[in-house]
Amino acid sequence: GSLPDLNNIQGDVIYLFPKKAENFVFFRINNVTSFRTALQSFKPTTAEDVKDNLTSIALAKANARDASSVPTVDIAQYQIAFSRTGMYFLGMNEDTGDVRFDNHCMSDDKQFLGDQRQWDPIFVKPKPDPVNGSVRDDTGALHGVITVAGSSAETCTKASNDVIDLFGSSITVAGGKPVEGRARPPPYKGHEHFGFQDGVSQPCLRGVVDSHEGQIQVDPGVIIMGYPGDPVRDDPTTKVKRPAWTKDGTILVFRKLEQSVISFEDYVQRNGPRWREFIPGGDISPPLNKQEAEDLFGARLIGRWKSGAPLAKCPFRDNQAVALNPDLNNNFDYYEPSDYYCPFTAHTRKTAPRNLNPYIDAKFLESGSIVRGGLPYGGEVTDQERRDVASGKPELPRGLLFNCYMSSLDSGFVRQTIGYAGNDYWPITSLVPQKKGQDPVLGSPPVYTPAQIEGTSPSVKSGDRVNLQLTGADGATFEVSGFAEVTVKGAAPPPGEPNPFFVTSRGGEYFFVPSVSTLTS
């Protein structure tokens, strides 16, 4: 029918796994025959199973005398997905209908995605092909990933070890061990390492999940292949078609995002005292204290307070009541084209602008939605580490094991990364292009080519449109058009400028999550 089959969908695509720990077992297949034999004994968790698990947890909470006496419901949940190269290795040669996935590994798109730093070795292919893609080159490729989520670290570790034992010598685990994500300890549970509540805003699939007030709703095919909203299914002119076996499947994107937490904290602490330069209206009574000022500066980078309360509803101070109420924490708009309360560049506004009428159709915005999951990795920052960093040592590695789901790479993850976060002119709020800047979380610093003006500087203000014609010593002429950003000699730049960016991609991969029936067959 027009709605996905919850018993045929693997993993936490519709309902996110309830979890305190999650292991990603990246692997290469050594022997196809023995792998297929082991796969027959592998039991993936379905969306219906996840719904039942969530119900069990809710009942345990409802029946407890108080919050401190809620029993732990011991749960392990499983999902398996395959890279395009892994599918070829298994003999699955028919295209999925996703043009990017069918041709490109993430290694091919490293530069395209703006990743400028070194990746972890398990994600690096020795011969990427940015133009044509390298999915048919098996050298150094990952074949798949088994995701194991647990209600505790102990449960997760045992479950992932059991899965590795099940597949035995038929696979080689990349890096020799799983990549481990763990929820942060209280009082930071549910918060990523910068301190912000994660996963507050998730799209709701129409007809499948009851929405909260203001929650973004999307057609099921935006996330699950083969249903209304799937751009391949819905386009009658496309030459590419979805094979029947892709129905109830989805695309999984994994990215390991390293966070420079101490540098971020220092950046916020340095800029917080300048709060009267960025608070709406220029002042507030009573005035912000030191912590409130720093929290406001951080909230204007992210678009939400650390509690999860949206800046659009709470532009001056955090509001725990709004943050904790699911019918309030997504029930807002950004009042385009104004950035009075929330900057255009705030992370949540760049990646989910909600309303860009009349310039961008609401259905187009819906079609770019993704379901996000993942957990933090790495330990908590200690006072000793802060002292070490102050003396010149590097921060210890920590960050987010980001994963997300969508039916189309280019409509979902790629659009959000390139078309939204890395697009200086997004969100569009005028017929005339207006430079807003990069997403401070997912954006990338521009690579400048230094040049010097002979004589007096032109009379240009920040934001002015500028057309330059430059001539090199070899006689070549360059024409450059854009928007000026001017800093007068000796003047302090605005709060937050320049943005040094505190998130570094350490690699990842694209995977196809087959339906249970396709996995079985």
Side-chain angles (χ1 to χ4, degrees), residues 416-437:
Q416 288 212 3
T417 305
I418 305 302
Y420 293 178
N423 180 357
D424 284 329
Y425 303 96
W426 182 266
I428 295 170
T429 57
S430 169
L431 290 176
V432 178
Q434 296 176 334
K435 185 176 180 180
K436 272 80 174 202

Side-chain angles (χ1 to χ4, degrees), residues 116-168:
Q116 300 175 14
R117 303 286 289 277
Q118 187 174 354
W119 278 12
D120 287 359
I122 67 170
F123 302 116
V124 176
K125 291 190 72 176
K127 295 180 180 179
D129 184 345
V131 178
N132 301 305
S134 68
V135 295
R136 291 184 178 273
D137 179 5
D138 187 62
T139 307
L142 293 173
H143 288 162
V145 60
I146 303 166
T147 306
V148 182
S151 51
S152 68
E154 295 76 18
T155 296
C156 184
T157 298
K158 181 182 183 306
S160 59
N161 287 340
D162 289 345
V163 164
I164 293 171
D165 289 343
L166 170 66
F167 285 94

Side-chain angles (χ1 to χ4, degrees), residues 204-206 217-224 228-230 234 363 366:
C204 168
L205 273 61
R206 287 191 179 92
Q217 297 186 56
V218 303
D219 292 332
V222 172
I223 308 299
I224 309 294
D230 177 346
D234 291 351
K363 277 290 184 184
E366 283 183 22

Side-chain angles (χ1 to χ4, degrees), residues 18 51-75 151:
K51 187 176 74 171
D52 292 343
N53 291 338
L54 290 167
T55 301
S56 297
I57 293 170
L59 288 173
K61 290 180 178 180
N63 293 330
R65 294 189 308 275
D66 52 58
S68 63
S69 63
V70 177
T72 298
V73 180
D74 195 31
I75 297 171
S151 51

Side-chain angles (χ1 to χ4, degrees), residues 395-454:
E395 292 189 37
L396 297 176
R398 61 177 59 82
L400 183 69
L401 302 181
F402 173 85
N403 62 289
C404 64
Y405 302 100
M406 72 236 75
S407 66
S408 164
L409 271 175
D410 280 352
S411 292
F413 168 74
V414 172
R415 186 193 298 174
Q416 288 212 3
T417 305
I418 305 302
Y420 293 178
N423 180 357
D424 284 329
Y425 303 96
W426 182 266
I428 295 170
T429 57
S430 169
L431 290 176
V432 178
Q434 296 176 334
K435 185 176 180 180
K436 272 80 174 202
Q438 299 262 314
D439 181 325
V441 176
L442 296 181
S444 299
V447 179
Y448 290 107
T449 300
Q452 194 163 0
I453 298 173
E454 295 182 359

Side-chain angles (χ1 to χ4, degrees), residues 167-178:
F167 285 94
S169 62
S170 74
I171 64 171
T172 295
V173 177
K177 60 182 180 180

Side-chain angles (χ1 to χ4, degrees), residues 136-333:
R136 291 184 178 273
D137 179 5
D138 187 62
T139 307
L142 293 173
H143 288 162
V145 60
I146 303 166
T147 306
V148 182
S151 51
S152 68
E154 295 76 18
T155 296
C156 184
T157 298
K158 181 182 183 306
S160 59
N161 287 340
D162 289 345
V163 164
I164 293 171
D165 289 343
L166 170 66
F167 285 94
S169 62
S170 74
I171 64 171
T172 295
V173 177
K177 60 182 180 180
V179 176
E180 297 184 349
R182 298 292 183 264
R184 296 180 65 196
Y188 308 112
K189 181 186 175 185
H191 295 244
E192 47 72 57
H193 278 296
F194 289 151
F196 293 84
Q197 181 73 32
D198 200 15
V200 179
S201 177
Q202 295 281 10
C204 168
L205 273 61
R206 287 191 179 92
V208 179
V209 181
D210 289 334
S211 65
H212 290 289
E213 291 292 327
Q215 186 176 7
I216 296 171
Q217 297 186 56
V218 303
D219 292 332
V222 172
I223 308 299
I224 309 294
M225 293 180 180
Y227 296 92
D230 177 346
V232 178
R233 173 195 179 276
D234 291 351
D235 185 358
T237 65
T238 182
K239 297 179 181 178
V240 180
K241 301 296 181 185
R242 295 274 196 217
W245 53 265
T246 63
K247 191 169 186 177
D248 288 322
T250 189
I251 297 291
L252 161 66
V253 174
F254 177 92
R255 284 190 111 190
K256 186 178 182 182
L257 302 176
E258 185 175 297
Q259 297 173 267
S260 301
V261 176
I262 296 175
S263 298
F264 178 83
E265 291 174 345
D266 179 65
Y267 178 67
V268 170
Q269 289 165 5
R270 283 188 285 109
N271 284 281
R274 299 176 66 180
W275 62 269
R276 285 186 174 87
E277 297 179 52
F278 54 77
I279 194 171
D283 209 344
I284 191 174
S285 182
L288 301 183
N289 61 36
K290 180 178 182 295
Q291 190 61 58
E292 288 175 329
E294 292 172 6
D295 287 348
L296 175 60
F297 183 79
R300 289 176 67 82
L301 294 174
I302 304 300
R304 289 184 183 268
W305 297 85
K306 288 185 175 181
S307 67
L311 193 65
K313 287 184 78 77
C314 313
F316 304 106
R317 285 182 165 93
D318 197 356
N319 188 318
Q320 292 285 336
V322 171
L324 295 172
N325 189 329
D327 286 319
L328 291 178
N329 61 19
N330 278 304
N331 192 16
F332 65 93
D333 205 336

